[in-house]
Amino acid sequence: EKITTISARSMGRIEKLYFKAVGDYVAKNQAVYQLYSEDIAIAKQDYYTAYKQLTMPGDFGKNAKNMLTSAKQKLAFFGLINAQIESLKSGKEISPYTIFYSPVSGTLSEVSTSEGSYAMEGAPVIKLADLNSLWLETQVNVSYAKNLKTGQTAKITFTDFPEKTINAKVSFINPEINPETRLLLIRLEIPNQGLLLKPGMQAMA
Protein backbone atom coordinates (compact mmCIF):
# COMPACT_ATOMS: atom_id res chain seq x y z
CA GLU A 1 0.00 0.00 0.00
CA LYS A 2 2.95 2.33 0.53
CA ILE A 3 3.62 3.15 -3.12
CA THR A 4 4.15 6.76 -4.21
CA THR A 5 3.76 7.82 -7.84
CA ILE A 6 5.83 10.87 -8.80
CA SER A 7 4.13 12.53 -11.75
CA ALA A 8 4.92 15.29 -14.23
CA ARG A 9 3.64 18.53 -12.72
CA SER A 10 3.23 20.23 -16.08
CA MET A 11 3.17 19.33 -19.75
CA GLY A 12 6.73 19.25 -21.07
CA ARG A 13 9.75 17.22 -22.10
CA ILE A 14 11.65 14.97 -19.72
CA GLU A 15 15.21 16.27 -20.10
CA LYS A 16 16.86 14.09 -17.48
CA LEU A 17 16.04 11.17 -15.22
CA TYR A 18 18.30 11.00 -12.18
CA PHE A 19 17.21 7.42 -11.39
CA LYS A 20 16.60 4.85 -14.12
CA ALA A 21 17.14 1.39 -12.63
CA VAL A 22 14.42 -0.48 -10.78
CA GLY A 23 15.72 -1.28 -7.30
CA ASP A 24 17.59 2.02 -6.84
CA TYR A 25 16.99 3.68 -3.49
CA VAL A 26 15.73 7.26 -3.66
CA ALA A 27 16.03 9.42 -0.54
CA LYS A 28 13.55 12.16 0.30
CA ASN A 29 14.46 15.49 -1.35
CA GLN A 30 16.76 13.89 -3.91
CA ALA A 31 16.46 15.15 -7.51
CA VAL A 32 14.27 12.79 -9.54
CA TYR A 33 13.82 14.41 -12.96
CA GLN A 34 14.34 17.60 -14.92
CA LEU A 35 11.49 18.95 -17.03
CA TYR A 36 11.49 21.43 -19.91
CA SER A 37 8.20 23.30 -19.65
CA GLU A 38 7.18 26.57 -21.28
CA ASP A 39 4.20 26.87 -18.93
CA ILE A 40 6.49 26.80 -15.89
CA ALA A 41 8.89 29.21 -17.59
CA ILE A 42 6.03 31.71 -18.08
CA ALA A 43 5.03 31.36 -14.41
CA LYS A 44 8.66 31.95 -13.38
CA GLN A 45 8.82 35.10 -15.50
CA ASP A 46 5.54 36.38 -14.03
CA TYR A 47 6.95 35.90 -10.52
CA TYR A 48 10.18 37.73 -11.34
CA THR A 49 8.34 40.60 -13.05
CA ALA A 50 5.98 41.05 -10.08
CA TYR A 51 8.92 41.01 -7.67
CA LYS A 52 10.71 43.76 -9.61
CA GLN A 53 7.58 45.90 -9.55
CA LEU A 54 7.11 45.75 -5.77
CA THR A 55 9.07 48.95 -5.25
CA MET A 56 6.94 50.95 -7.69
CA PRO A 57 4.82 53.68 -6.10
CA GLY A 58 1.07 53.69 -5.54
CA ASP A 59 -1.24 51.13 -7.08
CA PHE A 60 1.57 49.64 -9.16
CA GLY A 61 3.28 48.37 -6.03
CA LYS A 62 0.03 47.11 -4.49
CA ASN A 63 -0.93 45.26 -7.67
CA ALA A 64 2.54 43.79 -7.88
CA LYS A 65 2.16 42.34 -4.38
CA ASN A 66 -1.04 40.54 -5.42
CA MET A 67 0.61 39.38 -8.64
CA LEU A 68 3.60 38.07 -6.68
CA THR A 69 1.35 36.07 -4.34
CA SER A 70 -0.60 34.65 -7.26
CA ALA A 71 2.56 33.75 -9.19
CA LYS A 72 4.08 32.06 -6.13
CA GLN A 73 0.94 29.95 -5.63
CA LYS A 74 1.08 28.91 -9.27
CA LEU A 75 4.73 27.88 -9.02
CA ALA A 76 3.98 25.93 -5.84
CA PHE A 77 1.12 24.21 -7.70
CA PHE A 78 3.64 23.23 -10.39
CA GLY A 79 5.69 21.57 -7.64
CA LEU A 80 8.56 24.02 -7.17
CA ILE A 81 9.95 24.06 -3.64
CA ASN A 82 10.30 27.34 -1.76
CA ALA A 83 14.05 27.58 -2.32
CA GLN A 84 13.54 27.32 -6.09
CA ILE A 85 10.92 30.06 -6.02
CA GLU A 86 13.02 32.40 -3.88
CA SER A 87 16.02 31.95 -6.18
CA LEU A 88 14.04 33.53 -9.02
CA LYS A 89 14.28 36.92 -7.32
CA SER A 90 17.92 37.21 -8.36
CA GLY A 91 16.81 37.17 -11.99
CA LYS A 92 20.11 35.62 -13.10
CA GLU A 93 18.34 33.14 -15.34
CA ILE A 94 14.67 32.42 -15.91
CA SER A 95 15.10 28.91 -17.25
CA PRO A 96 12.47 26.68 -18.87
CA TYR A 97 14.25 23.76 -17.17
CA THR A 98 13.09 22.76 -13.69
CA ILE A 99 14.37 20.00 -11.40
CA PHE A 100 11.82 18.12 -9.32
CA TYR A 101 12.60 16.37 -6.05
CA SER A 102 11.21 13.31 -4.34
CA PRO A 103 8.71 14.01 -1.53
CA VAL A 104 9.40 10.61 0.07
CA SER A 105 12.10 7.97 0.45
CA GLY A 106 11.63 4.62 -1.24
CA THR A 107 12.86 1.95 -3.62
CA LEU A 108 12.33 2.55 -7.32
CA SER A 109 9.73 0.01 -8.44
CA GLU A 110 8.76 1.36 -11.87
CA VAL A 111 10.05 3.85 -14.45
CA SER A 112 7.20 5.08 -16.63
CA THR A 113 8.99 7.40 -19.05
CA SER A 114 12.35 8.02 -20.71
CA GLU A 115 14.66 10.95 -21.31
CA GLY A 116 13.62 13.04 -24.29
CA SER A 117 9.99 11.94 -24.19
CA TYR A 118 7.08 14.34 -23.75
CA ALA A 119 4.86 14.04 -20.72
CA MET A 120 1.36 15.33 -20.16
CA GLU A 121 0.50 16.98 -16.87
CA GLY A 122 -0.15 14.25 -14.31
CA ALA A 123 1.60 11.51 -16.31
CA PRO A 124 3.58 9.13 -14.06
CA VAL A 125 7.37 9.45 -14.14
CA ILE A 126 8.46 6.90 -11.52
CA LYS A 127 6.97 4.87 -8.69
CA LEU A 128 8.60 4.46 -5.29
CA ALA A 129 7.80 1.66 -2.85
CA ASP A 130 8.37 1.85 0.90
CA LEU A 131 9.74 -1.63 1.65
CA ASN A 132 9.91 -1.13 5.43
CA SER A 133 6.66 -3.10 5.60
CA LEU A 134 5.86 -6.01 3.29
CA TRP A 135 2.93 -8.31 2.67
CA LEU A 136 3.11 -12.04 3.09
CA GLU A 137 0.32 -13.69 1.15
CA THR A 138 -0.40 -17.30 1.96
CA GLN A 139 -3.22 -19.73 1.24
CA VAL A 140 -4.95 -22.11 3.61
CA ASN A 141 -7.38 -24.94 3.13
CA VAL A 142 -10.99 -23.80 3.32
CA SER A 143 -11.61 -26.14 6.25
CA TYR A 144 -9.43 -23.85 8.42
CA ALA A 145 -11.29 -20.67 7.46
CA LYS A 146 -13.60 -20.70 10.48
CA ASN A 147 -10.59 -20.57 12.82
CA LEU A 148 -9.06 -17.48 11.23
CA LYS A 149 -9.66 -13.81 11.99
CA THR A 150 -7.89 -10.53 11.35
CA GLY A 151 -5.54 -9.46 14.12
CA GLN A 152 -4.41 -13.01 14.85
CA THR A 153 -0.69 -13.53 15.33
CA ALA A 154 1.24 -15.96 13.15
CA LYS A 155 4.80 -17.19 13.47
CA ILE A 156 6.76 -16.54 10.26
CA THR A 157 9.89 -18.39 9.12
CA PHE A 158 11.88 -17.71 5.95
CA THR A 159 13.42 -20.09 3.44
CA ASP A 160 16.40 -17.78 2.85
CA PHE A 161 16.94 -17.06 6.57
CA PRO A 162 16.33 -20.32 8.46
CA GLU A 163 17.44 -18.76 11.77
CA LYS A 164 15.02 -15.83 11.47
CA THR A 165 11.56 -16.02 13.06
CA ILE A 166 9.14 -13.15 13.56
CA ASN A 167 5.56 -12.70 14.66
CA ALA A 168 3.15 -11.00 12.29
CA LYS A 169 -0.52 -10.00 12.35
CA VAL A 170 -3.18 -11.21 9.94
CA SER A 171 -4.31 -8.01 8.19
CA PHE A 172 -6.67 -9.37 5.52
CA ILE A 173 -8.74 -12.49 4.85
CA ASN A 174 -10.15 -12.77 1.36
CA PRO A 175 -13.95 -13.01 1.55
CA GLU A 176 -13.94 -15.28 -1.53
CA ILE A 177 -12.53 -18.78 -1.80
CA ASN A 178 -10.68 -19.77 -4.96
CA PRO A 179 -13.22 -22.10 -6.63
CA GLU A 180 -10.52 -24.10 -8.44
CA THR A 181 -8.12 -24.76 -5.57
CA ARG A 182 -10.60 -24.43 -2.66
CA LEU A 183 -7.95 -22.32 -0.92
CA LEU A 184 -8.41 -19.06 1.00
CA LEU A 185 -5.99 -16.15 0.60
CA ILE A 186 -4.58 -14.69 3.84
CA ARG A 187 -2.43 -11.58 4.04
CA LEU A 188 -0.05 -10.70 6.88
CA GLU A 189 1.91 -7.50 7.51
CA ILE A 190 5.64 -8.21 7.79
CA PRO A 191 7.98 -5.62 9.35
CA ASN A 192 11.17 -5.38 7.31
CA GLN A 193 13.85 -3.78 9.49
CA GLY A 194 17.02 -2.97 7.58
CA LEU A 195 15.28 -4.00 4.33
CA LEU A 196 16.69 -7.50 4.82
CA LEU A 197 13.66 -9.18 3.26
CA LYS A 198 13.13 -8.80 -0.48
CA PRO A 199 9.79 -8.91 -2.35
CA GLY A 200 9.46 -12.33 -3.94
CA MET A 201 11.11 -14.29 -1.13
CA GLN A 202 9.32 -17.32 0.25
CA ALA A 203 8.13 -17.71 3.83
CA MET A 204 6.05 -20.05 5.93
CA ALA A 205 3.28 -18.93 8.24
Side-chain angles (χ1 to χ4, degrees):
E1 293 177 337
K2 296 181 180 179
I3 292 181
T4 300
T5 300
I6 297 177
S7 304
R9 301 301 295 262
S10 172
M11 183 174 67
R13 184 175 67 244
I14 304 292
E15 285 296 311
K16 185 172 182 179
L17 287 172
Y18 293 90
F19 295 91
K20 303 175 185 177
V22 171
D24 283 347
Y25 182 78
V26 181
K28 185 177 180 180
N29 297 325
Q30 273 193 298
V32 174
Y33 70 96
Q34 185 184 59
L35 184 74
Y36 174 90
S37 169
E38 293 183 2
D39 290 341
I40 296 179
I42 291 170
K44 287 178 178 179
Q45 186 62 55
D46 289 344
Y47 180 84
Y48 175 70
T49 301
Y51 175 71
K52 296 302 287 184
Q53 293 178 352
L54 282 177
T55 57
M56 296 179 69
D59 290 339
F60 288 104
K62 292 179 182 178
N63 291 337
K65 188 174 182 180
N66 292 333
M67 289 170 55
L68 188 71
T69 300
S70 177
K72 185 172 184 177
Q73 289 175 343
K74 192 168 188 178
L75 289 170
F77 172 78
F78 278 134
L80 276 71
I81 61 176
N82 195 59
Q84 288 174 301
I85 297 172
E86 288 296 313
S87 69
L88 297 172
K89 292 178 179 179
S90 67
K92 291 180 180 178
E93 182 183 8
I94 304 299
S95 173
Y97 298 95
T98 304
I99 295 174
F100 292 89
Y101 301 88
S102 178
V104 298
S105 298
T107 300
L108 185 57
S109 62
E110 185 178 324
V111 181
S112 305
T113 188
S114 58
E115 291 181 347
S117 63
Y118 281 84
M120 299 299 292
E121 181 181 345
V125 176
I126 64 169
K127 288 185 178 180
L128 297 177
D130 180 355
L131 302 183
N132 288 295
S133 176
L134 299 177
W135 283 348
L136 172 62
E137 291 187 334
T138 185
Q139 295 179 333
V140 299
N141 191 289
V142 66
S143 62
Y144 293 113
K146 64 180 181 296
N147 298 320
L148 294 168
K149 61 181 182 293
T150 56
Q152 275 182 312
T153 301
K155 182 184 290 184
I156 312 297
T157 56
F158 302 90
T159 304
D160 297 298
F161 302 102
E163 73 289 350
K164 186 177 179 65
T165 301
I166 64 171
N167 293 323
K169 297 284 187 181
V170 175
S171 61
F172 174 75
I173 300 173
N174 197 325
E176 296 185 10
I177 294 166
N178 187 316
E180 296 179 1
T181 63
R182 302 295 293 166
L183 294 175
L184 184 67
L185 177 74
I186 309 296
R187 182 183 298 150
L188 301 103
E189 297 280 348
I190 307 295
N192 188 19
Q193 292 183 345
L195 304 182
L196 181 67
L197 304 174
K198 308 299 181 187
M201 282 183 173
Q202 290 187 322
M204 179 79 73

